Amino acid sequence: MLDETARGVFTIAATPFVPDGAVDFDSIDSLTDAYLRLGATGLTILGMMGEAGKLSAAESEAIVRRVTGRADVPVVVGVSAPGFAAMKALADTSMQAGAAGVMVAPPSYLRTDEQILAYYQNVAETLGDTPFVLQDFPLATGVQIPVRVILQIVKDCPTCVMLKHEDWPGLEKITALRRASEAGDRRISILCGNGGMYLLEEMLRGADGAMTGFAYPEMMAQVTAACAAGDTDRARDIFDAYMPMIRYEAQPGLGLAIRKYSLAKRGFIAHPVVRKPGAGLSRDAMQEIDALAARQAVRLEALGL
């Protein structure tokens, strides 16, 4: 079961598809194996990057069973849904299949602090004993969750054990949360997203690791390991080597297509298909990604990686 001590790299898994849009279960297996081989200490599935909103309930349940049956690390399942009935159904199915916990993003209609707090109190009541991750991703949800509200949710909801931090800019939020826990508030795990764009600084601010879907998940493992060892210079060198690709992946609307292209080029999935509706890549974009990958490989070799 997921708890407040979770740390490391919970890679956000893409959902592979074949060209006609059907779920590619063989590629789920190969992708899961690749994530684990490259240093993932946990996996997060059916998140926004996993195209959860494009899946049927039956597909979602089948993917959960496939991944939990193959992975030997904690698996967190995204269960965000318009209503609590669908959320609970997928959460219960996931936990029965062997998931370690679930993740819940706030719906876009929440506007006030009181609404956000009441929503997560209802989430905790609905999920019962299931531990959950609070996904704080205002750029995608449109919901701004202040530090004060996060601390109140953590106080009111013992089953809230992790914050997926994706505020941007958000480094001061990490610092404020860590200072609050040092002053006596309950400390929960903080894993960070945003494609790894600010992972180095997030780790130095007190984050416990990464929860994102960068196409080179070994970067997260290498940077977090160097930070844990106190070798900040090594962490900076590694992060700098990957930064051009991280930056390119961060393009709004194209990030997932770029990641899937890279995952396919690396042999982790059979097809770089983004399920419709979804953006594709031009030949020019593919050539740009290939050029970045080639230069990245040279820099990594120089670092002995």
Side-chain angles (χ1 to χ4, degrees):
M1 296 281 277
L2 195 69
D3 64 26
E4 296 90 342
T5 65
R7 59 191 311 109
V9 178
F10 279 59
T11 306
I12 295 280
T15 300
F17 301 101
V18 296
D20 69 2
V23 177
D24 184 351
F25 287 97
D26 289 339
S27 286
I28 287 177
D29 292 344
S30 59
L31 184 59
T32 298
D33 294 346
Y35 285 145
L36 300 181
R37 184 171 67 251
L38 295 173
T41 57
L43 294 175
T44 302
I45 62 175
L46 305 187
M48 294 179 189
M49 180 186 153
E51 300 176 76
K54 303 175 188 177
L55 300 170
S56 70
E59 287 174 328
S60 296
E61 292 176 6
I63 291 167
V64 169
R65 292 191 178 95
R66 190 78 169 212
V67 175
T68 56
R70 192 170 188 89
D72 58 358
V73 297
V75 176
V76 174
V77 180
V79 298
S80 303
F84 289 123
M87 179 189 297
K88 180 171 175 55
L90 182 55
D92 288 349
T93 297
S94 299
M95 298 305 289
Q96 290 164 8
V102 302
M103 181 168 66
V104 182
S108 60
Y109 59 76
L110 300 181
R111 288 290 177 265
T112 68
D113 293 352
E114 290 73 18
Q115 289 173 338
I116 296 168
L117 181 58
Y119 180 80
Y120 277 101
Q121 290 170 338
N122 286 329
V123 166
E125 181 180 355
T126 298
L127 296 178
D129 294 334
T130 298
F132 72 91
V133 180
L134 192 169
Q135 184 175 11
D136 182 19
F137 192 9
L139 274 76
T141 64
V143 180
Q144 298 285 342
I145 312 181
V147 169
R148 177 184 65 81
V149 177
I150 293 173
L151 291 173
Q152 191 63 46
I153 292 169
V154 170
K155 180 179 180 181
D156 293 348
C157 308
T159 50
C160 179
V161 298
M162 180 186 292
L163 174 71
K164 186 188 178 188
H165 172 272
E166 297 191 271
D167 205 346
W168 182 356
L171 294 174
E172 300 301 333
K173 179 176 282 187
I174 296 175
T175 296
L177 290 169
R178 286 303 182 231
R179 286 177 177 168
S181 61
E182 290 167 1
D185 285 305
R186 182 165 70 93
R187 185 190 194 279
I188 63 171
S189 174
I190 298 177
L191 299 187
C192 299
N194 278 325
M197 180 77 76
Y198 305 102
L199 178 60
L200 177 65
E201 291 80 11
E202 289 162 345
M203 292 298 297
L204 297 176
R205 291 286 190 124
D208 296 300
M211 183 185 278
T212 195
F214 182 49
Y216 294 81
E218 60 268 39
M219 179 277 289
M220 283 94 79
Q222 294 159 359
V223 169
T224 56
C227 287
D231 194 345
T232 303
D233 288 340
R234 175 69 171 172
R236 290 187 185 280
D237 288 341
I238 295 169
F239 187 76
D240 289 349
Y242 287 101
M243 192 62 218
M245 187 69 81
I246 296 172
R247 174 191 60 83
Y248 195 84
E249 266 196 18
Q251 295 179 73
L254 278 183
L256 180 57
I258 294 166
R259 288 175 183 175
K260 283 195 162 182
Y261 177 80
S262 295
L263 293 173
K265 289 283 287 190
R266 302 188 77 188
F268 300 163
I269 59 177
H271 309 281
V273 175
V274 177
R275 189 177 249 188
K276 296 178 181 179
L281 297 179
S282 67
R283 184 165 299 278
D284 288 340
M286 295 177 192
Q287 291 174 348
E288 289 165 351
I289 298 166
D290 292 341
L292 289 170
R295 292 177 62 84
Q296 177 176 280
V298 172
R299 297 190 71 180
L300 291 173
E301 184 177 4
L303 293 171
L305 297 171

